[in-house]
Amino acid sequence: MSQSRQLAAIMFTDIVGYTALMGQSENSAFDILRKNRLLQKPVIDKFNGRWIKELGDGVMASFNTVSDAVNAALQIQMDCNTANEFQLRIGIHLGEVVFEDNDVFGDGVNIASRIQSIAKPGSIYISESVRHNVLNKKMVQTRFIGEETLKNVKDPVRIYEALAIGQVFEAIESIAIERRPNSIAVLPFANMSSDPEQEYFSDGLTDEIITDLSNVKLLLVISRSSSMTLKGTQKKMKDIAAEMSVQYVLEGSVRKAGNNLRITAQLIDAVNDVQLWAEKYSGTLEDVFEMQEQVSRSIVDALKLKLTPEEVDMIAERPIANIHAYDCYLKARHEIFRGTKDSFQKAFKLLQNGLDLIGPNDLLFGLLGFGYTFYYRFLDKSDSSYLIKAKECAVKAFELNPRSVLGHVVEGWLHWAQGNIQESANSMRQALEIEPSNYDALFGLAEVYLYAGQSEDSYDLGQKLSEIDPLNPMSHIMHGSFFMDTNIMDCLPYFEKAYQMDPLSPLTQWMLASGYFWCGMNEEGYRIVDILEQSAQGWSFTNQILFLKYGLQGNEEKALQYATKELEDQARDDRHFAFHLAECYAAIGEKDKALDLLEYSMVLFFPYRFLSSDLLFANIRNEKRFQDLMADAKERVEAFEI
């Protein structure tokens, strides 16, 4: 009897639902066993494996290298998916085993078998020893599943899922919105004027047509931020339609010379490569509102959509009749979307100029309040006077127009800033009752629902954001954030998609790194943090995640170098930031500091299911204060009114 002891990668596979199939039809069950054998044996041989034996509907094989075992498993699952006749679970562990004649024994075998038994249908689960050996393999990606106590195994085992890099990209690409028949993207109108400073006017016309069409409930309209990414594009219409998941594309141009104006537009059925309508309009600046309405109405007519009387009125409505005040409004929008401190200040002056020209106007007040709110939220949380100014603008907008959408959005963010999360949701919902596709209100309500632990409602809104703004990374981040409250691993394809769309953005970098850390994929997180450190040095969120990185690596001294007064001040002004700083202190075991920050942040942030699963809070999860916070959060989630 020959016997040898050696290190080997052991793979177990199992047919999903085989027992039930055997109960229904023995002939069908035996046929599946035969097909499984024919599918697996050639692959195991190809990757230098050794077929050990069949155990009922399971197969055990051994490999001399981890790479061969994982590549064989990936190939087997791929072939199984192609055949589409049955599903497999696969488990792999690297350990010391004993080979005796044609069999193999030892703890390594038992662990591989137990890992296979907990794998999801169609997946490959691996132990940490296996993951360690494939970390640097370019064609393999892993993601953390959890730490499991396996039957007859003394110590808990950290489990990961293995994915081919192609599968990761497939998962990302699968986050696509099904193309809808009545769906349209309005491309940025080209500025044909000799003066590049007139760009704001062509952009403004694009925005207004998008707004007009968004009021038509039978039509899905891609939002401004996605449309603007295609400014000056040379892509074919068919490719644009596929990228946006729409059927129709509107393109046009604007020529503005002094007081004279010329607009051209054409509507393309990009799926069938057919021009449905085209027109040219000439006139003066005073005619711009009529031209804009004609373009919108012509599109509706070409698509044979029947408008309600309310929709007709909304398309015809012109909240700013004075062309010079309207010019101020368009320029101000342009400056706000630039998003710098200087551009916001220019916008505030332009809007005040518009008010000086025509007196009180709800749209000008609404946009001014919107600007003040976002200046405070994203650029200067130290100056609360912007919140006071924003509140005054919202009040004035409502006095002039109780149905001011921007007024409700501003009011929603003001409630948010004050920690009144239920009132914030109510305001965002009121905005959506008036304008169901308003991106700012959709995003705001989705974020409120997420923070309030209302994951199902957050998911629905995130899905709609991805529909109307598919090229905006923030849409996919919001859509994926839903899974933070359910199965946190499932957020990663969305965060990875956002990162792929804009890999130079510090925000997408920070979000993806955080997602990796939440899922226990620390090595992957460290790589993204290194990129972020180069792209956004000195940013408070960069310093926060560097603090976290070194804390997770066990380098407490280095981590605490980032625990600066600036971070403490930011946490005091921003409860969301306080939450992430709490993760840092929890990671280095400073429990009281972490709990102090967590208590402060949870005035606003209380999805208890995410808080209970976030691996970064492992050090404080058993603390009574943490458990009391979870109990309080659960009550607040249940009391929240949808």
Side-chain angles (χ1 to χ4, degrees), residues 457-634:
D457 298 280
S458 175
Y459 180 81
D460 291 340
L461 291 165
Q463 191 168 33
K464 186 165 185 179
L465 286 169
S466 296
E467 286 181 349
I468 67 171
D469 205 358
L471 304 188
N472 185 346
M474 287 306 300
S475 297
H476 299 288
I477 286 174
M478 180 55 71
H479 199 177
S481 294
F482 153 78
F483 296 104
M484 292 162 56
D485 203 21
T486 53
N487 182 5
I488 194 169
M489 288 299 303
D490 290 335
C491 74
L492 289 180
Y494 293 87
F495 294 170
E496 288 168 341
K497 184 177 180 72
Y499 176 72
Q500 279 195 343
M501 291 173 74
D502 192 358
L504 300 180
S505 163
L507 182 57
T508 64
Q509 294 165 2
W510 180 87
M511 199 72 216
L512 181 56
S514 296
Y516 282 141
F517 291 143
W518 292 331
C519 297
M521 297 171 64
N522 292 354
E523 294 298 328
E524 291 86 343
Y526 299 151
R527 288 197 289 270
I528 301 298
V529 172
D530 291 343
I531 295 170
L532 177 60
E533 184 178 14
Q534 297 303 313
S535 66
Q537 292 182 8
W539 185 37
S540 57
F541 279 86
T542 302
N543 291 334
Q544 173 269 329
I545 211 159
L546 283 166
F547 183 166
L548 182 57
K549 170 190 170 181
Y550 290 113
L552 291 171
Q553 290 177 336
N555 190 343
E556 184 175 337
E557 181 179 356
K558 182 75 171 177
L560 287 172
Q561 290 179 16
Y562 292 94
T564 61
K565 182 178 181 300
E566 179 193 9
L567 291 198
E568 298 293 333
D569 291 344
Q570 174 93 357
R572 186 188 62 247
D573 294 333
D574 184 346
R575 295 179 194 274
H576 175 255
F577 187 81
F579 173 84
H580 295 297
L581 194 56
E583 292 177 320
C584 298
Y585 281 107
I588 63 172
E590 288 206 19
K591 297 180 180 180
D592 288 338
K593 183 69 173 177
L595 286 162
D596 288 345
L597 285 163
L598 196 55
E599 284 179 349
Y600 177 72
S601 75
M602 285 180 64
V603 171
L604 183 66
F605 191 93
F606 53 92
Y608 71 94
R609 285 182 290 270
F610 169 56
L611 293 167
S612 298
S613 63
D614 185 346
L615 294 174
L616 301 177
F617 289 129
N619 287 338
I620 63 173
R621 187 155 289 123
N622 294 327
E623 298 293 313
K624 185 177 185 302
R625 284 176 67 190
F626 185 89
Q627 293 171 356
D628 289 344
L629 280 171
M630 293 305 97
D632 178 61
K634 184 176 181 181

Side-chain angles (χ1 to χ4, degrees), residues 7 30 45 48 61 138 143 155 187 236 250 264 297 309 324 344 395 408 456 461 471 506 512 519 524 588 594 622 630:
L7 195 66
F30 286 131
D45 290 342
N48 308 306
K138 291 183 178 180
R143 55 185 183 185
D155 297 318
L187 298 187
K236 295 179 180 178
L250 177 74
T264 66
R297 286 299 303 267
H324 302 295
F344 268 97
V395 169
H408 285 301
E456 290 184 6
L461 291 165
L471 304 188
L512 181 56
C519 297
E524 291 86 343
I588 63 172
N622 294 327
M630 293 305 97

